[in-house]
Amino acid sequence: MLDTLRHVTTPELIELQLRPAGLLPRSLAWTIDFLIRMALLLCLIPLTSGLGRAGGGLWLLAYFLLDWFYPVFFEVWRQGATPGKKALGLMVVNDNGTPVGWGASFSRNLLRVADMLPMAYGCGLVTMLCHQEFRRLGDIVAGTLVVYREKPVALPALEKTAAIAPTEPLDRATQRALLAFAERAASLTPARQEELASLLPQLSQGSYGPQGAARLLGLASHLIGRRT
Amino acid sequence: MDLERLSVTLRPRNHWEAIDLGVRFALSRARPLYAAWFALTLPVLAVLTLIFALWLGEISWVLLIMWWLKPVFDRLALHVVSHAVFGEIPSLRQSLRALPGLLRNSRLLAALTWERFSLTRSIRLPVDQLEGLRGKAGRQRKSLLGRRIGSAATWHTLAWLHLETILWTGLLGLVWLLIPEDLMPAGVTLWKLLTAQPLWFSCLLYLPLLACSLLLEPLYVAGGFMLYLKRRTDLEAWDVELQFRRLAQSHTARSGLASVCIAILLGLLLGVATPSPAEAADSASLRETQISQSGETIKQVMQDPAFGKEETERRLHWRSSDEPKNKDAFKLPDGLRGLFQGLESFFEWIGKAMAMLGRIGSWLLILAALGLLLYLASRFGWLRNSGDAKAPPAELAGFDIRPQSLPDDLASAAHALLAAGDARGALSLLFRGSLSRLAHREQVAFARGDTEGDCLDRTRQQASARAPYLARLLGCWQRLAYAHQVIPPAEIEALCQDWRKHFEEVSRG
């Protein structure tokens, strides 16, 4: 079974799933950051041009700082996400899921020089395409990973159906499947709901068609603690 | 369509993740995919190159036509990917044999003409090719599928367009950078070549572009297909269906197993008795040996690296000043050391000066606080009593009692007055002198408005030794001044003598 997840086991034997982000969202995030940096540098031109050659030097300094430390600043102080990454819902973490520190952030951003070769991140694009977890050279060296930020998920509202107590204890897989069904039911057509319910005759207990789907929903309501 | 043969995990994922998974999947099945892909594209490329490049001398036409024909090639790539996702990887021969049918039944004409420039062609292709819907139904289906993933598909197309260009220019730049300048014929520059474009140079220029484009296109198709699968999974709850099917399977397996188990149990119940006491004792002793060996077992388990190991960590930290300084370990050149020592003593001096200033400042502050306290005390009268005691009134009961208004030898002066027949003057002088001495020398606290009797009372309270004399003097004075009686001179004479005894000694002492 192929998936894009990275599984991390903590010392407490809790398994975490990191979702590495691929080429497309990362390129878009980089583009947004690039535009922001260019806009900042353009805004600096009128400010520094009044200062003559010293202004030119200041502008170059600003360019240097923005080019090298813009990502570092945001990765260390802003939860691993530059504005572009934030817009795309991405963040940088260590490959064990912990937040990146100075060392990791510096090395992954210094290695941009290598990823940029030969032109416009060609090297980085190829390594990202070929790597199992979509890492570019800087990520491989620094041991970091760009992952999708877990969005705060609103609890799915189950439909208001009368709760039905199961006649026998349900194992965990069954409970999970029932809840998944109930959560998704709102976006399914009634015909599809019935079709799915007919797959589990042992739970629908002889009720077919709409009654079968309604029974599954009732069981799910009971599972989440409704008792009416 | 058999979901249980699916070779990718179904779970709710966002659209970027679906595209990522597509790329991952295409690369994991790269061999059959690219075999079929190049089996189709390379012959076409060869024919086009023969016709346009070698015959007509226009290689850019090859590029354009290859680009335009991408939907044709995509159908084959999608055929391989979609079968591979469901676990049946078609062989090269099967794929090529399926190709004519694919081209006939998948709206190829539309895809090559008005839909060629569609930015969502990667998700339209699966609908056309795999669902085979036509006309209005097909349009509705595409709009339904594209509702959530349309923007992602658009970005997907745009990104792949740029990716091709970036890799192409990168490749060219790399090659150009690595050609030694000595090998270049004189006068040949990149700009000249780009503008003149001889045929060999055009081939060198556009071959990498074709290569990049051909290599990346299957990944693009796979990404679009996974996006399509994601949308269908969302719409039709494929992941839930898969879970339900597995549950149903395990249920039937369990019910089969349950009947077998019941049969075996029945047999056991009939044939076998409960365990004998000897067996029970055996198991108890086994348990005890296990417990006694538990220390060893725990040690063995703890040697597993999962339960902790020693790690050496090295890091830099600032040396605190009270740590002993190891001077041998780190020697500076003499000049630098002198400089550092000079700096050190300079900073030491600055520190001392600051400390001194601070100490002076704190003393000044304390003094100022004391002064303020005193000022407040005097201002609000906390010290009034002692202050008044020090300043007796200048005039008391009609007499001037300031010491400087008195003659130096008061008793003799009184004597002289008595001898001159002025008994009144002599007595008043004696009384005035007594009050003055009492007020100034003996610190008797007379108040400004005291009468002669009050003065006698205060003297009785505060200087009782002088009170009898003062009472005698006052009696004489009152008889002379108010009752106009004649006081015998001998009595005044005695008062003069006694005054000297009472007050001169005090002044001397």
Side-chain angles (χ1 to χ4, degrees):
Chain A
M1 296 295 271
L2 191 79
D3 205 344
T4 54
L5 296 176
R6 177 186 171 87
H7 297 272
V8 175
T9 310
T10 68
E12 295 83 14
L13 297 181
I14 296 166
E15 192 163 321
L16 302 178
Q17 288 184 337
L18 300 179
R19 303 182 295 155
L23 181 70
L24 185 49
R26 290 180 65 175
S27 314
L28 291 176
W30 181 85
T31 311
I32 293 175
D33 284 329
F34 179 73
L35 292 177
I36 290 175
R37 271 182 296 173
M38 287 305 112
L40 280 177
L41 287 174
L42 277 181
C43 292
L44 272 180
I45 287 180
L47 289 179
T48 52
S49 60
L51 297 174
R53 294 185 60 175
L58 281 179
W59 189 85
L60 284 175
L61 267 180
Y63 173 79
F64 169 77
L65 288 177
L66 271 180
D67 210 38
W68 287 92
F69 300 112
Y70 171 91
V72 177
F73 169 81
F74 283 105
E75 278 163 20
V76 178
W77 278 331
R78 288 286 177 271
Q79 288 91 43
T82 57
K85 286 202 173 69
K86 198 159 210 171
L88 270 288
L90 308 177
M91 68 187 295
V92 184
V93 294
N94 289 326
D95 52 12
N96 56 2
T98 52
V100 281
W102 286 105
S105 184
F106 261 112
S107 33
R108 82 180 287 278
N109 286 305
L110 286 182
L111 261 281
R112 277 179 196 276
V113 184
D115 279 312
M116 266 181 220
L117 291 173
M119 201 170 283
Y121 282 90
C123 213
L125 291 175
V126 172
T127 41
M128 264 196 264
L129 274 181
C130 299
H131 196 279
Q132 290 278 335
E133 288 161 351
F134 314 112
R135 299 198 202 186
R136 60 177 178 82
L137 291 177
D139 287 321
I140 296 171
V141 170
T144 55
L145 203 60
V146 178
V147 296
Y148 294 101
R149 185 188 290 271
E150 293 292 338
K151 282 182 194 141
V153 185
L155 284 177
L158 263 56
E159 281 178 49
K160 292 267 179 199
T161 43
I164 301 170
T167 49
E168 58 182 19
L170 304 174
D171 61 4
R172 187 170 293 178
T174 315
Q175 293 184 9
R176 217 175 260 170
L178 278 176
L179 287 177
F181 173 73
E183 283 166 9
R184 303 281 288 277
S187 63
L188 301 176
T189 58
R192 179 66 180 156
Q193 289 184 22
E194 290 162 24
E195 192 182 355
L196 286 175
S198 69
L199 290 173
L200 281 180
Q202 74 266 29
L203 283 182
S204 40
Q205 289 190 332
S207 44
Y208 293 103
Q211 286 83 25
R215 184 174 162 77
L216 290 196
L217 288 178
L219 287 174
S221 291
H222 186 270
L223 282 180
I224 64 165
R226 289 187 186 148
R227 292 290 182 272
T228 49
Chain B
M1 186 176 60
D2 190 356
L3 284 183
E4 284 169 62
R5 299 176 63 187
L6 208 61
S7 57
V8 292
T9 312
L10 286 181
R11 62 181 170 89
R13 30 165 91 80
N14 68 31
H15 36 251
W16 303 128
E17 271 187 292
I19 295 173
D20 296 344
L21 180 68
V23 173
R24 183 87 274 119
F25 181 78
L27 285 172
S28 73
R29 307 286 190 276
R31 191 185 285 254
L33 177 59
Y34 278 105
W37 176 257
F38 283 121
L40 176 62
T41 50
L42 285 186
V44 175
L45 179 62
V47 170
L48 287 176
T49 315
L50 268 180
I51 295 174
F52 287 98
L54 300 183
W55 188 27
L56 297 175
E58 276 290 342
I59 195 161
S60 41
W61 281 99
V62 181
L63 275 178
L64 181 68
I65 294 174
M66 283 301 280
W67 177 81
W68 204 282
L69 285 180
K70 268 182 179 178
V72 178
F73 309 143
D74 287 353
R75 278 158 171 72
L76 188 66
L78 181 64
H79 177 76
V80 177
V81 170
S82 59
H83 279 80
V85 161
F86 286 99
E88 42 178 78
I89 300 173
S91 67
L92 180 58
R93 184 177 293 182
Q94 284 171 336
S95 311
L96 290 181
R97 206 170 277 167
L99 185 62
L102 293 178
L103 297 184
R104 264 201 310 278
N105 300 321
S106 59
R107 296 181 70 243
L108 184 62
L109 189 65
L112 282 178
T113 49
W114 64 87
E115 281 180 12
R116 180 63 190 85
F117 294 95
S118 161
L119 286 175
T120 54
R121 70 185 172 92
S122 64
I123 54 169
R124 288 163 171 269
L125 179 62
V127 182
D128 285 336
Q129 184 176 331
L130 304 175
E131 300 188 10
L133 290 174
R134 297 293 155 82
K136 199 180 168 193
R139 278 197 299 279
Q140 278 177 346
R141 182 77 179 145
K142 277 176 208 160
S143 84
L144 174 70
L145 285 176
R147 210 170 286 162
R148 289 283 169 79
I149 56 173
S151 73
T154 308
W155 283 115
H156 183 43
T157 309
L158 289 176
W160 242 251
L161 199 67
H162 284 90
L163 194 58
E164 279 177 16
T165 326
I166 286 170
L167 287 186
W168 172 50
T169 49
L171 215 56
L172 285 183
L174 190 65
V175 171
W176 186 259
L177 283 177
L178 292 181
I179 296 176
E181 263 181 54
D182 303 344
L183 288 186
M184 294 297 291
V188 173
T189 60
L190 186 60
W191 180 246
K192 269 188 191 168
L193 286 175
L194 277 175
T195 45
Q197 288 211 356
L199 184 63
W200 65 268
F201 183 72
S202 304
C203 288
L204 276 184
L205 195 61
Y206 294 129
L207 214 62
L209 177 58
L210 267 176
C212 291
S213 162
L214 288 181
L215 278 172
L216 288 175
E217 185 67 12
L219 305 183
Y220 169 77
V221 174
F225 176 61
M226 283 298 169
L227 204 52
Y228 161 84
L229 273 193
K230 168 217 150 39
R231 179 69 176 140
R232 280 198 67 177
T233 306
D234 287 352
L235 276 176
E236 298 164 28
W238 282 7
D239 46 340
V240 177
E241 178 177 343
L242 204 56
Q243 280 174 310
F244 277 17
R245 280 186 190 281
R246 291 201 179 123
L247 282 178
Q249 262 178 8
S250 66
H251 181 77
T252 48
R254 238 182 307 155
S255 52
L257 194 68
S259 52
V260 174
C261 282
I262 287 169
I264 293 175
L265 265 178
L266 275 175
L268 280 175
L269 280 176
L270 289 174
V272 185
T274 47
S276 67
E279 278 172 359
D282 269 1
S283 68
S285 66
L286 181 71
R287 193 175 149 74
E288 265 175 21
T289 50
Q290 273 177 350
I291 288 172
S292 64
Q293 284 171 354
S294 60
E296 291 291 313
T297 322
I298 287 172
K299 265 183 203 161
Q300 278 173 8
V301 171
M302 289 300 281
Q303 271 167 3
D304 190 302
F307 288 102
K309 55 195 176 227
E310 282 194 4
E311 279 181 13
T312 313
E313 216 176 84
R314 293 169 195 278
R315 64 168 74 133
L316 295 170
H317 68 99
W318 295 107
R319 280 206 326 204
S320 61
S321 56
D322 41 276
E323 247 176 87
K325 282 179 187 168
N326 193 351
K327 284 187 177 171
D328 298 336
F330 180 62
K331 271 189 179 167
L332 283 171
D334 283 345
L336 264 184
R337 205 189 305 163
L339 177 65
F340 278 132
Q341 279 168 357
L343 276 177
E344 204 179 321
S345 57
F346 173 67
F347 283 124
E348 216 168 287
W349 179 80
I350 283 188
K352 277 180 184 166
M354 302 262 286
M356 179 66 79
L357 278 179
R359 223 169 290 152
I360 292 172
S362 59
W363 279 117
L364 282 179
L365 268 180
I366 291 172
L367 283 182
L370 274 180
L372 187 70
L373 260 182
L374 282 178
Y375 168 74
L376 288 175
S378 64
R379 177 74 189 264
F380 293 106
W382 296 330
L383 304 171
R384 182 163 293 161
N385 285 335
S386 58
D388 278 5
K390 276 173 191 169
E395 199 189 42
L396 195 57
F399 297 108
D400 188 1
I401 62 163
R402 287 173 301 170
Q404 59 269 30
S405 68
L406 297 172
D408 286 340
D409 192 356
L410 190 132
S412 312
H415 232 281
L417 283 173
L418 187 64
D422 189 358
R424 191 184 178 89
L427 271 183
S428 80
L429 184 61
L430 280 178
F431 191 63
R432 194 156 68 95
S434 302
L435 285 185
S436 175
R437 291 287 151 92
L438 282 172
H440 287 279
R441 297 264 167 86
E442 315 245 332
Q443 314 288 350
V444 178
F446 296 117
R448 184 164 304 199
D450 283 353
T451 60
E452 291 154 348
D454 292 337
C455 288
L456 184 58
D457 284 345
R458 281 186 197 279
T459 308
R460 278 196 183 116
Q461 286 164 11
Q462 298 176 21
S464 51
R466 316 285 174 226
Y469 172 75
L470 193 67
R472 196 150 60 94
L473 182 58
L474 188 57
C476 284
W477 170 246
Q478 280 172 340
R479 275 188 288 152
L480 177 72
Y482 304 122
H484 298 286
Q485 295 175 356
V486 176
I487 306 296
E491 206 176 337
I492 299 175
E493 191 78 20
L495 280 173
C496 276
Q497 296 299 327
D498 286 353
W499 193 91
R500 190 168 277 146
K501 198 167 66 189
H502 278 287
F503 293 107
E504 291 287 283
E505 284 167 15
V506 171
S507 72
R508 252 185 240 130

